[in-house]
Amino acid sequence: METVVEGNEEGKFEDSGVAKSSSSLSSPKQIADPVVYKLVRVEGDGRLVPATDDEVMEVEGLFKNEKGEMLLVDTGQTGVCISNEGSSSGMHHLESSEGLSHSGNTEVDTEKLNARLEYIEEMLQKVKQEEMLRLACGSPDHSSAYVIVASQYSDQHDKLPGIDEKLQSKIVLQETVPSMAAMSNESLINQSRNVRECTNPADGLIEGGSSTSAFCSHSKPDFSKLWGEICLDNMSIKELHETFKATFGRETTVKDKQWLKRRIAMGLINSCDVPTTTFVIKDKKLVRKGKDSCNNVDGIMTQDLAPGASEIDDDIRSHIVDYVVGNDGLLRDEGAVKRVRKPTKRYIEELSEVESKEYSGRLITSAKDSRLQQVSLKSHDRPVRNVSLNGRAIVTRLDSLGGSGVQIPYVCRVRRSRPRKNVMALMKFHHGGVGMADTLVKNAICVRGPQPNDENSNKILKARDAPEQIQQPFMAETEIDKQLTTLGAIELGWNMELKHLDSSGNKVADMPSAKGGIRRKHHRAWTLSEVIKLVEGVSRYGAGRWSEIKRLAFSSYSYRTSVDLKDKWRNLLKASLAQTHSDKVMISRKQASSMPIPVPILLRVRELAEMQAQVPPNLTTVKPVGGNGRSVNDTKCGYL
DNA sequence: TTTAGGG
DNA sequence: CCCTAAA
């Protein structure tokens, strides 16, 4: 059985009786035009059958508007929730109705599904966009449309507003603090806890004593914001490109500044990973005095898509997951193009490479290289026959990519550069000589849950089940540690390492880089988020505890060894030292192909280094980093 | 195995 | 990044 999310704006499915209204929770006068999504089961013959109550996925916007300020997004007790404020900006109206128009009523055409998914993606896109906007704006007037709250239980809703205000002011306070080092631990903790709370609504949340059970608030990863403030706005296209590369580990040719900024911000935000079964995304547009005049706030929240909790079709789930997890933004910028998530070519290659080795006889298991071993595990997955969204049968294999169980098309390894002759031969069988990887990839969008018998996914599942265990020590530490943990972005990502695992999957042997150089064998560009994680780790556990950091912060980055971390730190340190007491000029020379590291990070590195006496005494000039750390014009950078 | 450092 | 010595 498949299940499809059916959008319903005009109550098409009223008779199904599942459109239970949770509007009792919202102040009626302020609800404008909620979009309700319902689950519809797709029978084998393609009929749509109204979902059962359990499957119902309800979407509702809860718009609290005191000064047009706050918007609460309520997710029903299950599944995906898309709220549409829909007040005046016709944009979403258009989108949603567009989506609806596609959907005939009772036939399962993939188009409909796609439309829906597209819509969801759109929303997600906006989410991020808004995120970006807000990040880039930076000033404390975020109070407008700032807090988005998602609650898991509808009956809790009435409690939310008050809490929100508290939280809101708290957050605003934080944001007013100029130094990036000023992130309060409290907020960090809250953030992380909130994340967990989403799946675990039974616990209280805010220490203020407010009865906030089942309440999930989501403040921003503050570091991202800082970063956005500091750099993005002032960057030239070129700089943005570099930053993009730093963030995603790959190049982009997009010229659109907005897009770049947005993507980068997204990358940073996304570095706060999303567990496969639980993720929260929020979306809002805020009225920027003078500037962008956006006025609507949307929220999307998908919760606990675990089987049983809500029976959202895997396809949909995967799309969402995929979206969040995904990284290749090229195709889905403005939603103009049909966007289909797919594993990156490189990722496919990588796995295929290993596989081909295995199939060709000897299983390569270098006891030394755990990376290889891990990859090898994946190759135990057998090919699986699948039907893609557009009905064509394709062959994929299940791969436990970060536990999301993404199915990767089964392809022969395709080289990024010029294909070898034998591959060329193979390609002849494909239309127009187009790379068959591409062809297959396009069709492969299916995703399934992790296989229980897959060692990897098991590991991941375990890890997911016990996030607290990992987090607990950390939280305790931060609580004590009054030295504020800065880079808040990590906070979210700390326990949820899933993310766009492959945004930069470039562990390629001697791959000719775009710039003509040759990359090293196992080089994998450090992304900004990784760097942030690293810095955070050092600040927490101290430089030298590489294996600790590796284990706790980079557990899902199998390709980063503790040695890598150490090396990276060494480089960072170098960069930070250079940055602090040499002229900006010298630094900018080195810029060749490496990516800029935001100065705040470097300052932080320096700071940590000094604290841990890693800096030669003669160099420890007293340079207060607190106040000037984030001057908006400060765009000097180090390198990744 | 993990760290530290040199290459 | 890789390699290795040392712990």
Side-chain angles (χ1 to χ4, degrees), chain A residues 326-437:
Chain A
N327 46 64
D328 173 10
L330 273 179
L331 288 182
R332 47 188 163 79
D333 179 18
E334 296 301 346
V337 199
K338 184 151 193 169
R339 296 156 310 192
V340 177
R341 303 293 313 125
K342 61 175 188 184
T344 64
K345 268 196 259 176
R346 192 175 287 164
Y347 184 66
I348 296 163
E349 274 176 28
E350 215 170 307
L351 293 175
S352 298
E353 176 182 21
V354 175
E355 249 150 353
S356 62
K357 281 175 186 166
E358 182 192 358
Y359 290 151
S360 67
R362 191 176 318 152
L363 172 61
I364 300 184
T365 309
S366 154
K368 182 191 172 187
D369 194 346
S370 59
R371 291 173 275 195
L372 237 182
Q373 283 186 319
Q374 290 207 10
V375 179
S376 297
L377 281 177
K378 295 172 182 171
S379 62
H380 293 304
D381 299 321
R382 296 292 108 180
V384 179
R385 194 150 187 87
N386 259 321
V387 178
S388 66
L389 283 181
N390 46 21
R392 264 174 292 184
I394 56 172
V395 177
T396 60
R397 71 180 153 220
L398 180 67
D399 175 56
S400 51
L401 169 58
S404 60
V406 179
Q407 287 201 337
I408 310 299
Y410 223 66
V411 299
C412 293
R413 173 150 197 264
V414 180
R415 320 180 87 214
R416 300 183 78 67
S417 49
R418 203 181 320 135
R420 278 196 219 99
K421 302 126 206 175
N422 52 342
V423 176
M424 285 290 236
L426 280 173
M427 278 163 63
K428 285 183 191 153
F429 293 106
H430 280 262
H431 359 127
V434 182
M436 63 185 199

Side-chain angles (χ1 to χ4, degrees), chain A residues 271-329:
Chain A
S271 69
C272 313
D273 313 326
V274 180
T276 40
T277 53
T278 304
F279 40 90
V280 183
I281 308 112
K282 54 227 170 287
D283 175 12
K284 66 222 112 98
K285 294 190 175 177
L286 45 137
V287 187
R288 243 315 241 180
K289 49 182 182 199
K291 257 192 176 174
D292 320 286
S293 59
C294 326
N295 57 354
N296 73 38
V297 181
D298 296 344
I300 297 175
M301 169 146 185
T302 67
Q303 272 196 14
D304 203 350
L305 300 181
S310 66
E311 312 212 344
I312 296 182
D313 180 273
D314 273 342
D315 273 338
I316 293 179
R317 177 196 333 212
S318 63
H319 272 70
I320 298 166
V321 169
D322 212 7
Y323 182 95
V324 178
V325 166
N327 46 64
D328 173 10

Side-chain angles (χ1 to χ4, degrees), chain A residues 25-211:
Chain A
L25 318 153
S26 44
S27 25
K29 48 187 169 190
Q30 272 139 358
I31 288 190
D33 223 343
V35 176
V36 177
Y37 272 61
K38 290 196 284 190
L39 277 185
V40 181
R41 182 180 305 140
V42 180
E43 296 294 33
D45 58 359
R47 281 179 306 119
L48 285 188
V49 179
T52 68
D53 271 328
D54 285 340
E55 294 167 319
V56 170
M57 181 172 54
E58 195 169 338
V59 179
E60 182 147 4
L62 214 159
F63 191 43
K64 179 194 175 196
N65 188 353
E66 290 174 347
K67 301 184 271 179
E69 292 213 331
M70 205 184 311
L71 181 114
L72 304 183
V73 176
D74 152 44
T75 93
Q77 42 192 7
T78 46
V80 177
C81 174
I82 296 173
S83 111
N84 186 355
E85 175 236 340
S87 57
S88 53
S89 89
M91 212 152 133
H92 285 137
H93 270 310
L94 285 179
E95 282 174 5
S96 44
S97 38
E98 197 174 63
L100 287 165
S101 64
H102 286 289
S103 50
N105 227 343
T106 42
E107 67 180 24
V108 197
D109 48 352
T110 54
E111 234 182 276
K112 178 165 38 177
L113 177 55
N114 283 335
R116 199 104 299 117
L117 292 169
E118 221 169 321
Y119 177 61
I120 292 175
E121 269 196 338
E122 215 109 274
M123 303 300 281
L124 287 164
Q125 185 74 25
K126 285 187 193 307
V127 166
K128 302 189 166 193
Q129 192 170 334
E130 266 34 85
E131 193 85 30
M132 170 58 213
L133 258 177
R134 200 190 61 75
L135 295 184
C137 294
S139 38
D141 70 330
H142 298 327
S143 47
S144 66
Y146 185 70
V147 180
I148 290 216
V149 178
S151 168
Q152 189 147 10
Y153 294 135
S154 358
D155 52 329
Q156 302 276 348
H157 289 177
D158 30 3
K159 295 178 185 169
L160 293 182
I163 292 156
D164 276 352
E165 277 153 13
K166 266 185 199 169
L167 220 159
Q168 183 177 12
S169 50
K170 191 184 285 179
I171 292 163
V172 170
L173 256 184
Q174 290 164 207
E175 295 200 349
T176 326
V177 185
S179 162
M180 71 182 271
M183 276 284 298
S184 84
N185 287 323
E186 186 184 60
S187 76
L188 291 185
I189 291 162
N190 279 343
Q191 282 180 13
S192 53
R193 292 183 66 187
N194 292 346
V195 171
R196 281 186 298 133
E197 238 68 9
C198 289
T199 48
N200 198 358
D203 302 332
L205 172 57
I206 307 287
E207 49 278 305
S210 23
S211 57

Side-chain angles (χ1 to χ4, degrees), chain A residues 434-500:
Chain A
V434 182
M436 63 185 199
D438 280 7
T439 311
L440 287 175
V441 166
K442 275 178 195 139
N443 295 332
I445 344 168
C446 304
V447 175
R448 296 178 35 194
Q451 301 249 285
N453 54 350
D454 178 291
E455 260 188 81
N456 265 344
S457 18
N458 275 342
K459 248 193 245 168
I460 290 157
L461 283 173
K462 259 182 226 156
R464 194 193 303 138
D465 286 343
E468 282 104 333
Q469 292 175 4
I470 298 178
Q471 178 149 32
Q472 223 51 282
F474 152 64
M475 293 218 298
E477 228 171 302
T478 39
E479 247 155 345
I480 297 165
D481 180 11
K482 272 325 178 192
Q483 190 247 319
L484 306 177
T485 50
T486 58
L487 321 170
I490 317 148
E491 198 44 36
L492 288 169
W494 201 261
N495 315 306
M496 303 175 286
E497 322 275 10
L498 180 150
K499 107 178 235 171
H500 50 199

